[in-house]
Amino acid sequence: ALLFCIITAGGYAFQSAAPSSRVVISRASPLHETKTDLEDLAKKLNPLIGYYDPLGLGSSQFAGRTDEFTIGFLRHAEIKHGRVAMAAFVGYCVQSNYRFPWPMTLDGSQFPSLSLSPPEQWDVLPFAAKVQIILFVGYLEFYSEISSSNGQPGEMKHYCKGGIPGKYPSFDANPHPVPFNLYDPFNLHKNMSEEQKERRLLVEINNGRLAMFGILGFLCAQTTPGSVPLLNGMLGSYTGEVMAPFQGDLDIVLGGRSMVEAFGLS
């Protein structure tokens, strides 16, 4: 109840596509590359709102590229941001209620106390730990972009070149053996039908959209008291800067100023 009351508009987020509108799309062909495909997808994701693009991003032709290139970029970005938001939302809930019992560092330091909110827990992490986390995520991001632009036989096409938005490459071609892939590490869904894959992707996109509202709701409630009435009194206030991940770690470099002040962002 605490988590999903942030927005009532997200009520459609966990609804799957109606059986009558379910369309099986071949994975061998480009997926949702045109504006017409985007409009059809929008109706399946939320029949009430349908296609809504007030800024005209779907026809903006980023960097002088085609609409198909732009739509592939935007769809992949939304899926990726939705996945990050779902991880952040779940992580926020776990960090607020559970503390790992084992040491966090080699010197025996424990994980931050539950008396701290998740943003405060991040603030007190050692600088080296923050760097490791960001480098690991950066590697995953880098690896996801090295698929062949043209999609050679046996290779995955880039999502802006007719590939599947949101599909993460396997680690099979990695020169250093990796025991598990990021998606379906135990191969539990290798026999899933195309219809099931299509439906699960729709559910994932809707859940990701709701999670983006959810994690933003948490942060707004902590940094701007009263901004999310349904969370009043449920979350402690946070006086740090959620957009400054190294706040307090770079004081020597910044001369004691905040990152906002040092870079003229205020």
Side-chain angles (χ1 to χ4, degrees), residues 199-226:
R199 178 187 174 279
R200 285 167 65 95
L201 179 59
L202 296 178
V203 172
E204 179 187 28
I205 293 174
N206 274 335
N207 288 348
R209 290 175 176 177
L210 182 60
M212 285 188 270
F213 280 104
I215 190 61
L216 283 174
F218 282 154
L219 296 178
C220 287
Q222 283 200 266
T223 57
T224 309

Side-chain angles (χ1 to χ4, degrees), residues 33 62 65-74 159-161:
E33 279 197 327
F62 288 174
R65 302 298 186 93
T66 63
D67 286 345
E68 289 75 14
F69 180 98
T70 300
I71 291 172
F73 176 87
L74 291 172
Y159 53 86
C160 288
K161 297 287 188 177

